[in-house]
Amino acid sequence: MKLIFLGPPGSGKGTQAKVIAQDYSIAHISMGDILRESIKNGTEVGKKAESFIKQGLLVPDEVVNEIARQAIEKNAEKGFVLDGYPRTVAQAEFIAGFVNIDRVIYIDVPLSELEGRLTGRLSCKNCGSVFHIKSKPPKSGNLCDNCSNELYVREDDKPETIRRRYTVYEKETSPLVDFYSAKTVKINGVGPLETVLASIKKSL
Ligand code: B4P
């Protein structure tokens, strides 16, 4: 099974993709996680990506495409869910050259709901787990349920950066819904996490 999760920033792509990957025994390829890990480790990719992410802009295609190609080829047999990639038509055209995607899950959430989700997001720097102060609070204070490390608010989750990310999404990423129209299933991303998950599973 080769899936793409598409949706605006904060729609729950990462939250749902992690569970789907685990339940269907396929790989979870999160471009955001890979880039943040590269920044943390001070790699060449991390140095190139850092300022774009902080400003709420997309990292250039030439930086992310090669990362995606390697991850896709590595997991081609096992199957995968691509979370946050492709984010531009050029990225989608790039992978079309070497992989056939089975299904695109488009998680639809209105802008009015997204800001609260992102300003309330808590992330673990150590293992990448994601929580929310209201909809998915960590069990013990500000510590990760998975690895007990401290949680933090991402730099790109500030209100002014969120608005820019949404504008970038509308211009650069939303055309992918048309690009993949024959393979796309639209899911209502508003509601409890379990309800959204059940809709995704039903569509698979
Ligand atoms: P990502 O890390 O992919 O982040 P995202 O789009 O902000 O979040 P996602 O939709 O996964 O939301 P989540 O599940 O966490 O990208 C970060 C940046 O990296 C980009 O802005 C860009 O700069 C760069 N980048 C990544 N990929 C790139 C590419 N292909 N090309 C160029 N640049 C790239 O959910 C958000 C919050 O809502 C969480 O707190 C969660 O708990 C909560 N939530 C989820 N579902 C909910 C629900 N149903 N109800 C209530 N709350 C919910």
Side-chain angles (χ1 to χ4, degrees):
M1 191 152 49
K2 298 184 178 75
L3 308 174
I4 288 174
F5 275 27
L6 193 63
S11 52
K13 300 182 294 292
T15 302
Q16 301 293 349
K18 275 195 187 89
V19 183
I20 292 291
Q22 203 170 18
D23 290 0
Y24 290 80
S25 300
I26 56 177
H28 173 212
I29 303 173
S30 162
M31 186 56 71
D33 285 353
I34 294 171
L35 293 172
R36 281 185 289 278
E37 187 69 16
S38 305
I39 293 170
K40 192 171 94 181
N41 294 332
T43 66
E44 276 309 306
V45 164
K47 284 176 197 153
K48 286 181 192 157
E50 190 166 15
S51 70
F52 292 98
I53 293 183
K54 270 190 188 162
Q55 292 176 72
L57 301 172
L58 292 182
V59 176
D61 292 341
E62 58 270 25
V63 178
V64 293
N65 280 347
E66 191 49 31
I67 298 172
R69 192 183 61 77
Q70 286 180 20
I72 288 169
E73 286 180 352
K74 189 174 154 205
N75 293 291
E77 267 186 40
K78 183 179 186 188
F80 54 77
V81 45
L82 279 175
D83 158 16
Y85 183 95
R87 263 178 154 108
T88 64
V89 170
Q91 291 175 14
E93 285 170 343
F94 174 75
I95 57 166
F98 59 88
V99 69
N100 189 28
I101 298 298
D102 298 311
R103 190 73 52 87
V104 176
I105 304 293
Y106 164 47
I107 308 181
D108 185 31
V109 177
L111 176 61
S112 55
E113 163 100 9
L114 294 172
E115 201 164 308
R117 284 199 190 181
L118 292 175
T119 49
R121 171 159 61 184
L122 297 169
S123 309
C124 178
K125 239 180 199 156
N126 183 48
C127 74
S129 294
V130 174
F131 303 86
H132 188 276
I133 46 172
K134 286 189 187 143
S135 62
K136 194 186 170 193
K139 291 191 181 106
S140 162
N142 199 35
L143 300 179
C144 176
D145 291 359
N146 186 40
C147 69
S148 301
N149 274 271
E150 208 168 327
L151 300 171
Y152 80 113
V153 176
R154 272 170 41 181
E155 275 216 52
D156 56 343
D157 282 347
K158 293 179 188 137
E160 62 279 13
T161 317
I162 291 169
R163 280 190 285 274
R164 180 177 296 152
R165 286 164 65 198
Y166 191 79
T167 308
V168 171
Y169 166 80
E170 292 256 270
K171 184 164 176 272
E172 304 282 348
T173 310
S174 65
L176 290 177
V177 177
D178 278 344
F179 183 92
Y180 287 119
S181 60
K183 295 177 175 175
T184 300
V185 181
K186 184 173 167 180
I187 300 289
N188 176 12
V190 180
L193 296 171
E194 301 72 26
T195 310
V196 179
L197 179 65
S199 308
I200 295 173
K201 285 191 169 175
K202 204 171 160 201
S203 79
L204 295 174

